């Protein structure tokens, strides 16, 4: 992870973490890095000194703290409106399937096969299956569909 000090054309300064410099460049190109004060997507890296790890020394010089920013930092949107809409649709699909199907755990593949062969009454089910089990179901023309898994809302 890398912490960049950023600024916009109106001289608002703020900091943000990125996985690496390529992640910053990619997010900036997509318009995802915006000034939390004015919302400008025209954001550049500010000049900053590297933080070097050093052990504590008796004769270490005390460094003056930087003045507080002019405005309290606000969160920067990491997803565009379109990405948020797609995520909401995927969440709605998952919630619908969970509300209208029976959870069968790791018995999913065998139960789906028995329902396909007429040994069990057909109903909507969901559960877990290994990649090999899914491949075998698909080869036998038994319809299966993975549910979208979304990161936790707080991430």
């Amino acid at each position: 992870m890398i912490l960049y000090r950023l600024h916009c054309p109106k001289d608002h300064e703020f900091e943000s973490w990125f996985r690496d410099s390529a992640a910053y460049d990619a997010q900036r190109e997509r318009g995802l890095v915006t000034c939390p004060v004015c919302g400008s997507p025209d954001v550049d890296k500010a000049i900053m000194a590297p933080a070097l790890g050093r052990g504590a020394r008796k004769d270490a010089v005390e460094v003056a703290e930087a003045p507080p920013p002019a405005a309290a930092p606000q969160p920067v949107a990491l997803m565009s409106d379109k990405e948020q809409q797609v995520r909401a649709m995927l969440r709605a699909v998952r919630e619908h399937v969970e509300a209208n199907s029976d959870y069968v755990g790791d018995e999913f593949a065998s139960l789906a096969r028995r329902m396909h062969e007429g040994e069990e009454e057909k109903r909507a089910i969901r559960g877990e299956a290994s990649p090999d089990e899914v491949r075998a179901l698909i080869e036998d023309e038994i319809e299966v569909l993975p549910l979208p898994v979304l990161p936790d809302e707080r991430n």
Side-chain angles (χ1 to χ4, degrees), residues 2 10 15 19 25 29 46 49-50 52-53 55 60 69 77 85 94-95 122 129 132 142 145 148-149 152:
I2 187 167
K10 294 183 180 179
E15 295 177 341
R19 183 178 64 238
D25 293 336
E29 286 178 24
L52 302 176
Q85 291 171 354
R94 183 175 187 88
E95 289 171 357
K122 291 186 178 183
D132 289 335
I142 300 171
L145 181 68
V149 177
D152 186 76

Side-chain angles (χ1 to χ4, degrees), residues 132-149:
D132 289 335
E133 290 172 323
V134 171
R135 192 174 300 109
L137 291 171
I138 292 170
E139 287 172 358
D140 293 339
E141 298 182 358
I142 300 171
E143 293 184 28
V144 295
L145 181 68
L147 283 177
V149 177

